[in-house]
Amino acid sequence: MMSPDEAMHFLLSNNSSAGTSLNNIMTSQRALKEYPAHSEAYRAHQQILDEEIRKVEALAKESAFENAGVDPIIGMAACDCAPGEPCCFEDGEVADSTDESRKIVWPTASIPFRIEKNLLVIAREMSGSHLTSKVKTRWSGRNCPAGRSETPHLQTRNLRSGPEMISEKSQEVTVGIPTLPSFAVALEQYFPREIILVLIVLDTLLTVANSADGDNRASFTPSQCLSDEAMGATLTVTPIPYLKIDGDATLSTMLRFSTAGVNGSAGASGSLNGVFGNHEISATAEAKSVSGNGLARSNSTKAPGMIGTMASMIGTLNEYVHKGNTSNSTRDVSKYASSITLSKSLALKPKGLEIKEKGGCPDLELKLGELLLELKIGVTGRLDVIDALATYFTGPGAAAIRKARAEMAAGKAFAGKLDAYLEVGAEGTLTHAITSGVTMTIPANLPAPESTSIPEVFRGEIKIRGILVVGIQIEAEVWVFAGKAGASGTVNTSWAWAVRKHGEERQKNYKFEGVVIELKAHAEVGWRRQPSDRSRSAFDSDTLDEPILSSSQEAVLQHLEQSKSEAERIARSGIAGASRGSTYTILQPEDSGWEKY
């Protein structure tokens, strides 16, 4: 592929009419120097640049056909490269500087069922906010016979140090990975930092699909007059933080979600000892307070494994607390507002765990004595859905409900009551256990070079059950609503996170059943507003028995039991019968399907 400079040179030298391409190339080339390599803006401009260069290459080929024997880029004698034959590059490689038998090569060759295009390296050294590792590039060949400047060369991206264009036939460069990935920065307000670091590396290594994160890959692409697929392939290097760890720790959190934000506490008991990168880990008993606006669910989607599941739960609860009741997030949160308490207990017990390079190939190895990751959660409280009901109920008297809701949110009094909420409770456990010593291959390229069957337990489901309570009366009108049974046979609805082993693949699933209401009756009653009447809500009259926000193991275990009892009570409440009235979906169902963990 042409370099950006070559593309601009062609457009200017040939008086091309493709002015838009020239402008886009110049704009995107400047932008790539301004934005971080892992940002969405960087990727968008790189895509624009690649598309425009392909357009210019098509123009160059047309020009070459009309001017046989003349290089369309510089107007000199064309090079003598021929399709299917070596051009300027004859061969090359990218190798781990610590062990040069660990490498990927040009021309790429198919090893049974896969092509080796990615190299995993262990990042041990700290440089700024990144852990880094070094790799060496080598290539052999000749200079361009047509005299094109800086051709051939390797075009690079995402290096921590080293040139964007490598013309030297041998060069050592530095690749790196953020100590704390962008998705994990938001998690620091909920979990101790050292626990996050350990979980991120464990999850990355145990989730093969995510072990080669595109955001952190460094890439090397040959640039010459003519390349075939094998010689022009982009080779990549993915750094993985070094981890050696032993210990037995329990992470405990207690969080309360409301329309005013999230508050609570998080702590760890027991101890973890080891090394992360070149940083000594010594995590012992620790507690921290939590407060803020909550975690956006979009921030949790990039997180792999168990920490991704925990982040998904926090982000989901935070989203639904605000989705059900959005009119005024700054009002008195003791009235007309959700209040959900979430407790978590995560047992983390790694023994003899260490990441090592695997000689003679681009893969890594994970040596492991034993591993236990076990997550339990508790959820209690009420989730207000009055805004959702007022928005999506379109039956008789809907306008009166919306008007009353707006008046209540504005602090105005009206005669009647306006209640719509879900009482919730949760139960279940997610478990990942490897019970005997194994050495696992962490593949750099898929499918994996070998199938390593390991003795492990990977299963479980955590389910938050919800039962709908609705009571609406405005002036002389009364509405009688009921919640329909959930699609999975729950009383009214549920949120569920599940994991399973499907063949040799670990999988996860998130499902929300949605909320459907049925209008049983709507009538006028013999009651009119009196001066002493005022608007009221169940949140106004019933004081929730909210647990103390303590992250101590004892407090978390008590809340887990309370949550389990509440979930069992909701499950015993009975399934609604067949619908006879009109139904309205006020919260849409969601289902991720079974996907790679």
Side-chain angles (χ1 to χ4, degrees):
M1 178 181 283
M2 286 182 178
S3 70
D5 288 341
E6 289 169 345
M8 289 188 289
H9 187 203
F10 170 79
L11 292 172
L12 293 170
S13 300
N14 291 271
N15 296 316
S16 171
S17 59
T20 302
S21 289
L22 180 61
N23 183 61
N24 288 344
I25 291 171
M26 294 174 67
T27 300
S28 292
Q29 192 176 26
R30 285 195 300 268
L32 293 181
K33 296 178 180 179
E34 297 174 2
Y35 292 106
H38 61 273
S39 67
E40 291 292 336
Y42 185 99
R43 286 193 288 269
H45 279 288
Q46 186 63 62
Q47 184 176 356
I48 292 171
L49 188 60
D50 291 344
E51 289 174 356
E52 295 299 339
I53 288 177
R54 279 192 286 271
K55 292 178 185 177
V56 177
E57 286 180 329
L59 287 172
K61 287 180 181 179
E62 291 177 12
S63 177
F65 179 77
E66 295 169 359
N67 300 279
V70 176
D71 190 306
I73 296 176
I74 60 175
M76 298 175 62
C79 75
D80 57 359
C81 295
E85 299 293 332
C87 187
C88 303
F89 275 102
E90 293 179 359
D91 55 54
E93 67 181 36
V94 181
D96 185 343
S97 291
T98 63
D99 178 358
E100 295 183 30
S101 73
R102 306 188 62 252
K103 61 186 178 181
I104 42 182
V105 302
W106 292 285
T108 56
S110 291
I111 297 173
F113 309 113
R114 66 198 173 106
I115 297 178
E116 302 267 339
K117 289 186 178 181
N118 184 49
L119 169 68
L120 294 181
V121 296
I122 296 179
R124 291 181 170 88
E125 300 303 318
M126 185 69 73
S127 175
S129 61
H130 285 65
L131 286 169
T132 63
S133 183
K134 295 184 183 295
V135 296
K136 291 179 179 179
T137 62
R138 291 194 188 92
W139 62 271
S140 61
R142 60 175 181 168
N143 293 329
C144 179
R148 293 172 61 184
S149 62
E150 299 180 322
T151 300
H153 66 263
L154 293 177
Q155 194 71 33
T156 69
R157 292 181 195 165
N158 270 9
L159 298 185
R160 288 302 300 164
S161 69
E164 293 182 3
M165 184 185 299
I166 299 177
S167 298
E168 298 295 325
K169 291 188 176 182
S170 179
Q171 178 99 35
E172 186 173 64
V173 297
T174 303
V175 298
I177 182 172
T179 304
L180 201 61
S182 57
F183 71 77
V185 173
L187 297 177
E188 279 197 277
Q189 63 179 310
Y190 300 106
F191 310 116
R193 181 184 177 88
E194 303 226 331
I195 298 291
I196 294 176
L197 295 177
V198 173
L199 283 175
I200 286 173
V201 179
L202 282 176
D203 283 334
T204 299
L205 293 169
L206 294 172
T207 54
V208 169
N210 297 315
S211 66
D213 185 352
D215 285 350
N216 298 309
R217 284 185 178 186
S219 68
F220 305 84
T221 307
S223 178
Q224 56 182 335
C225 298
L226 185 65
S227 291
D228 59 16
E229 184 176 352
M231 201 61 235
T234 295
L235 302 185
T236 57
V237 176
T238 303
I240 301 291
Y242 175 68
L243 181 66
K244 182 178 182 180
I245 195 77
D246 275 281
D248 183 343
T250 300
L251 173 66
S252 303
T253 61
M254 186 88 82
L255 304 174
R256 184 163 298 143
F257 299 82
S258 74
T259 50
V262 180
N263 63 88
S265 64
S269 59
S271 64
L272 291 173
N273 296 285
V275 181
F276 175 83
N278 63 356
H279 171 65
E280 294 284 337
I281 289 179
S282 181
T284 53
E286 177 186 354
K288 62 186 294 185
S289 61
V290 174
S291 64
N293 295 321
L295 175 68
R297 195 152 44 137
S298 61
N299 289 338
S300 68
T301 57
K302 294 183 179 180
M306 192 68 80
I307 198 164
T309 301
M310 293 193 297
S312 174
M313 292 175 183
I314 293 173
T316 298
L317 286 177
N318 189 57
E319 179 177 308
Y320 277 95
V321 162
H322 288 80
K323 181 181 288 188
N325 193 331
T326 59
S327 293
N328 183 357
S329 62
T330 61
R331 65 185 178 277
D332 180 358
V333 296
S334 66
K335 300 179 180 180
Y336 328 127
S338 304
S339 182
I340 299 291
T341 300
L342 166 69
S343 61
K344 289 186 182 182
S345 175
L346 175 68
L348 173 58
K349 300 178 182 180
K351 292 185 179 179
L353 184 151
E354 184 176 12
I355 305 166
K356 292 187 174 182
E357 292 89 351
K358 188 171 184 179
C361 71
D363 306 323
L364 298 179
E365 286 184 339
L366 176 64
K367 292 186 178 295
L368 184 60
E370 293 181 13
L371 175 67
L372 173 65
L373 289 172
E374 187 174 73
L375 175 65
K376 298 179 180 180
I377 77 161
V379 177
T380 57
R382 292 173 176 172
L383 180 65
D384 192 1
V385 294
I386 186 60
D387 277 354
L389 186 149
T391 299
Y392 295 105
F393 172 60
T394 57
I401 293 177
R402 280 192 284 273
K403 179 181 178 182
R405 179 67 188 116
E407 290 177 352
M408 178 183 284
K412 298 179 182 179
F414 73 95
K417 78 174 180 178
L418 206 58
D419 294 338
Y421 58 87
L422 289 164
E423 292 183 347
V424 294
E427 60 183 340
T429 303
L430 300 182
T431 301
H432 190 182
I434 299 174
T435 55
S436 62
V438 295
T439 297
M440 298 170 55
T441 294
I442 308 300
N445 301 276
L446 296 178
E450 58 188 72
S451 176
T452 304
S453 180
I454 59 174
E456 68 175 335
V457 176
F458 188 74
R459 66 188 178 209
E461 180 182 58
I462 287 176
K463 180 172 286 189
I464 303 174
R465 300 178 184 272
I467 186 169
L468 186 67
V469 177
V470 183
I472 298 179
Q473 181 173 344
I474 303 170
E475 295 287 352
E477 290 184 273
V478 173
W479 290 258
V480 178
F481 289 100
K484 280 194 63 181
S488 299
T490 52
V491 177
N492 290 151
T493 193
S494 71
W495 291 261
W497 291 263
V499 297
R500 70 180 185 185
K501 190 79 175 286
H502 186 66
E504 290 300 313
E505 184 176 82
R506 302 180 190 94
Q507 296 181 334
K508 63 180 179 179
N509 174 246
Y510 160 71
K511 182 182 292 186
F512 170 52
E513 293 184 81
V515 176
V516 179
I517 60 171
E518 177 187 359
L519 179 62
K520 296 284 191 181
H522 170 235
E524 288 199 10
V525 295
W527 173 81
R528 293 295 180 197
R529 178 174 178 169
Q530 301 298 323
S532 60
D533 292 329
R534 66 181 183 91
S535 58
R536 61 176 297 275
S537 162
F539 291 98
D540 199 13
S541 58
D542 295 340
T543 301
L544 297 177
D545 184 18
E546 296 182 327
I548 297 172
L549 292 181
S550 168
S551 61
S552 70
Q553 275 191 280
E554 182 180 0
V556 169
L557 290 174
Q558 287 178 351
H559 185 252
L560 290 173
E561 285 300 314
Q562 180 187 349
S563 171
K564 182 180 179 181
S565 298
E566 189 67 4
E568 291 172 349
R569 179 190 70 80
I570 292 171
R572 292 194 301 268
S573 297
I575 303 298
S579 299
R580 297 181 180 178
S582 299
T583 60
Y584 307 86
T585 300
I586 63 172
L587 291 176
Q588 293 293 328
E590 302 175 358
D591 189 348
S592 69
W594 286 100
E595 55 188 356
K596 289 182 179 179
Y597 181 64

